[in-house]
Amino acid sequence: MSPAADNEPQQTPPEPPWPTPPLGGWTADDLDTIPGLPPHTEMIDGGLFLGSPQSNFHMLTLRLLERAFEDQAPEDLLVVREMTTKIDKRNRPEPDLMLVPDEAFTGPSQTWYSPSDILLAVEIVSPHSEERDREIKPRKYAGARIPHFWRVEENGGLPVVYVYELDPATNSYAVTGIHHDRLKVTVPFTLDIDLTPRRRRAASD
């Protein structure tokens, strides 16, 4: 290679183009086939929402609830983590946790669950998704008649769990409890969770 060629500026490959929606916009079925999407992309009203970096609070709270569900949920319920539910043609949100009956599992290639199979949906609120987690997604879940919904917020580094149950007369959620430090419920099944992080418990011993 000549010295002139060595001094030529290196060409950087172009950035891959952002997927262009088809005529009429994306649909929930497209979410599995749109190229280049990062994991945990949701569809709300036909729009795509990308996941942001996870905080320690989100990770630890998700792990705490998932383990409690695995330990205390009835054996015929499956604990589903960070998978989507196909609510309608343009809505495919991804709850942080879901509880579904075992028979809702259709195989290893499954990518979503029907809202009619979901007993409980849980959202752990993140700063980048406050409006979706507090307003938009609960409204979608209630409209899809998911009977139980929990919203988890951070308060001083600790989780606070807001427990909702569907009112069939209004097809909307009614709050049935706000739980600090300890979560004890009898529906959708009997559950008792210490919400205090392990490190804080150890420090108080």
Side-chain angles (χ1 to χ4, degrees):
M1 183 178 292
S2 68
D6 290 339
N7 293 328
E8 289 180 0
Q10 296 294 317
Q11 298 293 323
T12 57
E15 292 286 335
W18 181 252
T20 303
L23 185 66
W26 301 117
T27 68
D29 289 329
D30 294 325
L31 199 59
D32 289 326
T33 59
I34 300 171
L37 291 183
H40 309 301
T41 300
E42 301 180 280
M43 180 176 291
I44 306 290
D45 294 330
L48 301 179
F49 293 85
L50 312 184
S52 295
Q54 183 174 226
S55 68
N56 268 330
F57 170 78
H58 190 282
M59 180 269 293
L60 292 170
T61 301
L62 182 58
R63 181 187 296 168
L64 172 70
L65 294 178
E66 183 180 23
R67 287 176 174 173
F69 288 166
E70 293 281 5
D71 290 342
Q72 301 182 46
E75 291 185 357
D76 60 347
L77 290 180
L78 177 67
V79 183
V80 179
R81 175 175 175 162
E82 297 172 313
M83 287 186 66
T84 59
T85 175
K86 192 184 295 184
I87 289 179
D88 55 34
K89 183 179 179 181
R90 299 198 181 276
N91 286 280
R92 195 167 154 187
E94 182 183 293
D96 288 302
L97 287 169
M98 296 184 286
L99 285 172
V100 302
D102 281 337
E103 57 266 26
F105 177 83
T106 62
S109 61
Q110 183 175 1
T111 59
W112 58 273
Y113 285 86
S114 169
S116 63
D117 287 323
I118 300 171
L119 178 63
L120 167 67
V122 180
E123 293 287 355
I124 302 170
V125 177
S126 299
H128 71 276
S129 62
E130 286 181 351
E131 182 178 3
R132 295 198 304 277
D133 293 340
R134 292 173 177 172
E135 300 178 26
I136 299 173
K137 292 167 78 173
R139 189 168 66 247
K140 302 287 187 184
Y141 297 155
R145 297 185 177 273
I146 295 174
H148 299 275
F149 169 69
W150 295 358
R151 190 184 84 245
V152 185
E153 302 266 359
E154 179 185 0
N155 183 18
L158 298 176
V160 178
V161 182
Y162 295 76
V163 174
Y164 297 86
E165 190 169 343
L166 187 69
D167 180 347
T170 62
N171 209 31
S172 61
Y173 286 127
V175 65
T176 60
I178 302 174
H179 300 261
H180 301 254
D181 299 328
R182 193 168 204 92
L183 170 63
K184 296 183 71 172
V185 294
T186 56
V187 291
F189 54 88
T190 300
L191 191 68
D192 186 349
I193 307 175
D194 183 355
L195 299 173
T196 308
R198 183 181 304 168
R199 279 175 292 180
R200 177 161 175 170
R201 294 203 304 269
S204 63
D205 291 339

